[in-house]
């Protein structure tokens, strides 16, 4: 039996959907690697966009996933949530493969990221300046878009406008 490639050629419709998913995401599931065991660890993070559109989060050094990112910056982010009805697997979602770059309190980029993050996540003003918080800016290297049943695409950072 001949196998067929389930990945479609990336087109403008796929690019538009991927950009829409990323722009609408206010949180994401993050996958990181445990440096002691190599096992994947998944958590949920708040998500914003840096001034250039890159995914951005504010995370505490007290979180397990932060320690894992400090040891190994490789990460995956899953964005896109199921709608209120229907099979959750038919709703669009996208996995981003990325490297986290941590921005601490002394980094010159922090002030601009702070302002951008607060504009998108105003409730963070309660804890954004706590000493244990860092920004993680995700440098996306690839994306896998599942636009619904039978609609799978591989995307580049350029396809996402990054």
């Amino acid at each position: 039996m001949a196998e067929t490639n389930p990945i479609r050629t990336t087109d403008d419709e796929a690019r538009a959907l991927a950009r829409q998913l990323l722009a609408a995401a206010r949180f994401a599931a993050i996958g990181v690697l445990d440096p002691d065991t190599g096992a994947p660890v998944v958590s949920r993070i708040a998500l914003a966009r840096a001034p250039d559109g890159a995914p951005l989060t504010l995370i505490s050094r007290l979180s397990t996933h932060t320690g894992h990112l400090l040891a190994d910056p490789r990460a995956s982010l899953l964005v896109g949530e199921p709608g209120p009805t229907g099979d959750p697997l038919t709703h669009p979602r996208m996995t981003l493969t990325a490297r986290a770059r941590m921005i601490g309190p002394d980094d010159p980029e922090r002030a601009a990221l702070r302002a951008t993050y607060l504009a998108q996540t105003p409730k963070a003003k309660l804890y954004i300046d706590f000493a244990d918080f860092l920004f993680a800016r995700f440098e996306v290297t690839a994306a896998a878009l599942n636009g619904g049943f039978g609609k799978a695409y591989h995307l580049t950072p350029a396809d996402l406008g990054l």
Side-chain angles (χ1 to χ4, degrees):
M1 179 197 285
E3 290 187 35
T4 58
N5 185 352
I7 307 300
R8 293 183 176 192
T9 300
T10 302
D11 57 18
D12 287 342
E13 185 177 331
R15 288 181 193 94
L17 177 58
R19 289 177 183 197
Q20 177 187 357
L21 284 170
L22 189 54
R26 296 296 168 251
F27 57 89
I30 184 170
V32 297
L33 297 173
D34 181 322
D36 295 327
T37 66
V41 178
V42 179
S43 188
R44 184 178 306 265
I45 59 171
L47 196 65
R49 304 282 300 276
D52 66 354
L56 176 71
T57 195
L58 178 69
I59 54 178
S60 169
R61 289 180 186 270
L62 303 176
S63 298
T64 300
H65 56 269
T66 303
H68 294 346
L69 284 172
L70 288 167
D72 183 341
R74 293 177 294 168
S76 286
L77 302 174
L78 175 65
V79 297
E81 290 297 310
T85 61
D87 182 343
L89 298 180
T90 63
H91 295 274
R93 60 220 180 257
M94 180 171 55
T95 299
L96 304 171
T97 303
R99 294 185 70 82
R101 184 167 58 83
M102 300 306 214
I103 293 103
D106 298 328
D107 193 300
E109 189 179 1
R110 185 173 175 92
L113 294 180
R114 183 185 186 282
T116 298
Y117 194 84
L118 285 175
Q120 296 172 55
T121 315
K123 290 185 179 182
K125 70 181 175 184
L126 299 171
Y127 50 84
I128 196 167
D129 295 320
F130 288 0
D132 62 302
F133 277 86
L134 302 167
F135 283 105
R137 184 184 192 290
F138 295 97
E139 308 292 341
V140 175
T141 57
L145 171 65
N146 185 322
F149 187 75
K151 297 179 181 176
Y153 305 89
H154 289 157
L155 295 102
T156 66
D159 290 325
L160 299 172
L162 300 175

